[in-house]
Amino acid sequence: MTNEIDLHGFTKLEAIEELVKFYNARVKKGNLTPFEVIHGYGSTGVGGVLRTRIRGFLAGFEDCLEFDSGKDPFENNPGKTRIIPRKPLPDTVDLLGEEILDFCDTPKPINKITGKFHRIGEVKTLEAVKRLEKQGRIKVSYKGALKVYSAKS
């Protein structure tokens, strides 16, 4: 099994999904050795979107892993992040649920939610919304006859 994953060319959500699949496959096989995520540094000179998003995501799972910037004193490459796995990450439907909760800071109808996450697919998006409802993490209300969803505070 390889010790790196290259996420160049992926959208933010696709990159996180690929990283979770790669990470969990390693953990499932008992491989808890460090690996590198290649995400690039970004053309702005202040850090790319993928680097920022991936490191922000990883920071939310300190109970599952350790990570660092991947800066080796001999290599000095800010376009990589080194991960040391400890236990599995939540599945991608749960991760999508977190994105949906962020999006639903104000009430949104289901067509706005599925439209926002169209790259993920309607089936996965509806599954994530249904899971949030079962968990009691999203509030369902009505604006007239329109059913809307909002994150519970």
Side-chain angles (χ1 to χ4, degrees), residues 10-103:
F10 287 97
T11 67
K12 293 181 288 187
L13 290 173
E14 290 168 341
I16 296 294
E17 186 170 321
E18 288 300 311
L19 175 57
V20 169
K21 280 189 226 174
F22 181 85
Y23 177 100
N24 284 342
R26 290 174 64 90
V27 172
K28 185 177 181 180
K29 291 179 181 178
N31 186 352
L32 301 180
T33 60
F35 67 93
E36 289 186 336
V37 177
I38 303 168
H39 42 63
Y41 181 67
S43 59
T44 63
V46 295
V49 171
L50 280 183
R51 181 182 91 145
T52 303
R53 180 67 174 168
I54 287 168
R55 290 183 180 174
F57 167 78
L58 295 172
F61 295 99
E62 292 177 344
D63 59 324
C64 297
L65 55 84
E66 291 179 48
F67 75 97
D68 62 42
S69 64
K71 287 186 183 179
D72 180 294
F74 301 105
E75 190 177 327
N76 196 21
N77 186 345
K80 294 182 180 181
T81 298
R82 188 168 152 263
I83 297 176
I84 304 165
R86 290 197 296 244
K87 64 182 187 179
L89 290 168
D91 71 21
T92 54
V93 174
D94 286 334
L95 298 173
L96 175 58
E98 297 303 317
E99 295 283 331
I100 290 169
L101 287 174
D102 287 345
F103 180 64

Side-chain angles (χ1 to χ4, degrees), residues 110 125-136 138 149:
I110 196 68
T125 304
L126 293 173
E127 181 183 347
V129 170
K130 192 170 284 289
R131 192 177 289 185
L132 289 169
E133 280 186 81
K134 284 182 182 177
Q135 294 170 345
I138 199 164
Y149 300 85

